[in-house]
Amino acid sequence: MAPLLPVSSENYHVKMLAIIEQWEGDYRCHTNNTGQYVLLTFFKTCLDATTLWLCFHKKRSFISVFSFSLLLFDSLLAFFLATRWYIRDEQAFVPICFILAYASATCALLPLPVMVLLLWDCILESANILHCSPRWKCLRNVLSTCGVWLIAIMLASLSVSADLMEVEMSGGMKTLVCEVQESTTITYSILVVFIAVVLSTIPFWSKIPKWMTEADRLWEVRDKLQENHRSNPLLMSSLPKHTEEDFMKESTKPTLLPPLWFSLILGFATFWMPYLLVSVACLTFDEGVPAYITFNLIWLECMNSLLVGVMFWVKSKTHGPYSDLPKNVCSWNIYWHLSRGTPPQQLPEAVRNPVKVNRSTLLCV
C-alpha cells in the first residue's frame, strides 16, 4: 500500500497525509510513489468487478445501479492516476494530489447516505408500497444514484485541500505529501457490527458448532432437492406440500434450538466474519486507509446484508421464511429453518417454490 501518515484533525472525517515523493539531500535516493497508488486503485477496481460479478442482483435494484456507478468511479480513478503517472510533471494538467484528495473527500461523504438509500429501497421492495413498474423502478434508482454522487462531489469541492506540502522528516528525509480523508462512517460501522456479532456469540459459544453442523446438513439436503428438482420436476411435485402455517407451527425442544435473532446473526457471521476480521485487524494495527479504498463493493454488500437481515427478522414473524425481500448473498431462510427445527423432509416446499428460494440463495464465494 502507498505510504500514508495519519494526522490529527477536528473535522468529521479523519485526515491523513499521502506521501507522493521522497528524497534525501539533493534528490539522492529519490522515490516517486505514484505507481503504488496506480496499482492500489487498479487492484480495488478488479476486486469490485469480481464482487459485482459474484454478488449479482437485479439490474433495476438500487444496489446494482450504485455498484455499477462505483465500479465506473474506480475505473476512472485508476485511469486518471495511470495517465498522471505516465505524463511528465510539466505536461500534467491535473496534479496527482488533486485526484487523490478529491476522490477521498467524495468517498468519505457517500457511505451514510448510501446506507439510507439501501434501507429505503429495501423497505419499498419488501412492502411494495408504490406498485411501480420495473422501468420506473430503474429510473428511480438511476436518479437516486446520480443525485447522491452529485451531492457528494459538490460538497467535496467545498472542503477539499489539493495543495502539495513539503515535510522534512527525521534523518534529513524530505517528502511531498497531500491531505486525504478516511471515512469514519465505514470505520464505526465495521467496529459496531464486529463487536455486536462477537458479543452475541458469547452466551451460545458451546452450542454454535452443533448448530453449524445442523445448518450444513440443511444446506446439503436443500442442494440435493434442488438438483433433483432440476433433473426430475415431476418427482418433486409428488412430495407432500407444507403451507406457511405448517412452518410457523413447527417446533421441537426449545432449549436445543437457537433463537431466531441469533440464528440470523449466525448466518450473517458465517459469510461476513472474514471480511470483518481483516478490517478490524487493519484498524487495530493503525493502518490508515483512505476513503477511496475502504468505500468498496465488499463493504456495500456487507451493509446490505445487514439491512436485509434486519428486515427479514421483522417480516419473518408474520411471513415465515420466504419474505418478499431483495436478493442477498446470505441465505436467511436456511437459518430460519434452523431456529424452528424444521425437519429436512419439509424442505421440498422450498425447492417447489423457486421464485421464493431465489430471493435468498447464498452465492458461494
Side-chain angles (χ1 to χ4, degrees):
M1 181 179 294
L4 295 161
L5 296 176
V7 295
S8 60
S9 174
E10 297 178 356
N11 295 337
Y12 178 71
H13 301 293
V14 178
K15 295 185 179 180
M16 59 186 69
L17 298 178
I19 300 177
I20 308 300
E21 295 183 37
Q22 290 177 299
W23 69 91
E24 184 178 358
D26 297 330
Y27 283 88
R28 292 179 301 167
C29 302
H30 180 267
T31 303
N32 192 317
N33 296 317
T34 307
Q36 297 185 43
Y37 292 106
V38 174
L39 293 176
L40 188 62
T41 53
F42 178 75
F43 174 76
K44 188 214 173 183
T45 303
C46 295
L47 184 64
D48 281 351
T50 304
T51 305
L52 182 62
W53 177 68
L54 292 173
C55 305
F56 182 76
H57 299 272
K58 291 182 179 179
K59 294 181 180 179
R60 297 182 177 90
S61 64
F62 172 76
I63 188 172
S64 293
V65 175
F66 188 84
S67 296
F68 278 110
S69 70
L70 183 56
L71 181 60
L72 177 61
F73 174 83
D74 294 334
S75 302
L76 291 175
L77 178 61
F79 172 77
F80 286 137
L81 287 176
T83 303
R84 178 62 181 80
W85 185 34
Y86 177 77
I87 298 177
R88 291 180 299 176
D89 292 349
E90 59 271 15
Q91 297 176 336
F93 294 99
V94 181
I96 185 175
C97 186
F98 177 82
I99 299 174
L100 294 177
Y102 209 95
S104 63
T106 302
C107 291
L109 293 168
L110 282 170
L112 187 57
V114 168
M115 288 182 64
V116 173
L117 289 174
L118 281 175
L119 179 60
W120 178 242
D121 184 66
C122 185
I123 293 174
L124 291 180
E125 288 292 324
S126 61
N128 199 16
I129 298 174
L130 301 179
H131 302 283
C132 300
S133 64
R135 185 172 299 179
W136 167 247
K137 289 180 182 179
C138 182
L139 179 61
R140 181 191 69 198
N141 293 325
V142 169
L143 291 177
S144 300
T145 300
C146 293
V148 73
W149 274 107
L150 182 60
I151 293 174
I153 291 173
M154 292 176 60
L155 292 177
S157 63
L158 300 176
S159 60
V160 68
S161 175
D163 297 328
L164 275 173
M165 298 175 287
E166 184 175 328
V167 179
E168 185 171 354
M169 305 178 68
S170 58
M173 181 70 70
K174 295 182 180 180
T175 61
L176 278 180
V177 299
C178 68
E179 196 176 74
V180 294
Q181 296 184 14
E182 179 184 7
S183 175
T184 54
T185 302
I186 295 178
T187 301
Y188 290 149
S189 64
I190 291 175
L191 285 176
V192 169
V193 173
F194 177 79
I195 293 173
V197 170
V198 171
L199 292 180
S200 64
T201 59
I202 294 177
F204 309 100
W205 187 256
S206 60
K207 300 178 182 179
I208 290 178
K210 181 179 180 181
W211 290 338
M212 291 300 300
T213 302
E214 181 64 20
D216 292 339
R217 188 169 69 92
L218 291 174
W219 269 111
E220 292 176 1
V221 171
R222 201 191 71 166
D223 288 343
K224 290 180 181 179
L225 291 173
Q226 288 180 335
E227 184 178 354
N228 293 336
H229 176 63
R230 287 189 292 266
S231 59
N232 193 350
L234 294 179
L235 175 63
M236 296 300 298
S237 62
S238 63
L239 294 173
K241 296 185 178 182
H242 298 270
T243 63
E244 189 173 282
E245 288 75 13
D246 295 331
F247 287 124
M248 300 302 294
K249 293 178 182 179
E250 189 64 36
S251 62
T252 58
K253 296 181 181 180
T255 55
L256 300 179
L257 301 175
L260 177 59
W261 64 270
F262 181 74
S263 184
L264 297 180
I265 289 178
L266 201 60
F268 176 84
T270 300
F271 195 92
W272 289 112
M273 186 53 74
Y275 165 71
L276 295 175
L277 280 173
V278 172
S279 301
V280 172
C282 291
L283 296 174
T284 303
F285 292 104
D286 197 22
E287 291 291 336
V289 184
Y292 60 81
I293 298 299
T294 56
F295 186 60
N296 51 52
L297 290 189
I298 299 182
W299 176 85
L300 191 66
E301 288 289 344
C302 181
M303 294 299 106
N304 184 59
S305 295
L306 178 65
L307 295 175
V308 174
V310 173
M311 290 294 298
F312 180 90
W313 175 70
V314 173
K315 292 179 68 68
S316 63
K317 296 178 181 178
T318 56
H319 291 74
Y322 302 115
S323 301
D324 190 12
L325 289 168
K327 187 177 179 181
N328 188 247
V329 294
C330 295
S331 187
W332 305 110
N333 57 349
I334 285 291
Y335 292 91
W336 186 94
H337 286 297
L338 176 65
S339 67
R340 304 294 294 188
T342 303
Q345 59 268 22
Q346 290 192 359
L347 289 182
E349 178 66 19
V351 180
R352 214 184 269 114
N353 209 330
V355 176
K356 292 178 180 179
V357 171
N358 286 340
R359 294 183 183 274
S360 54
T361 301
L362 174 65
L363 293 175
C364 299
V365 181

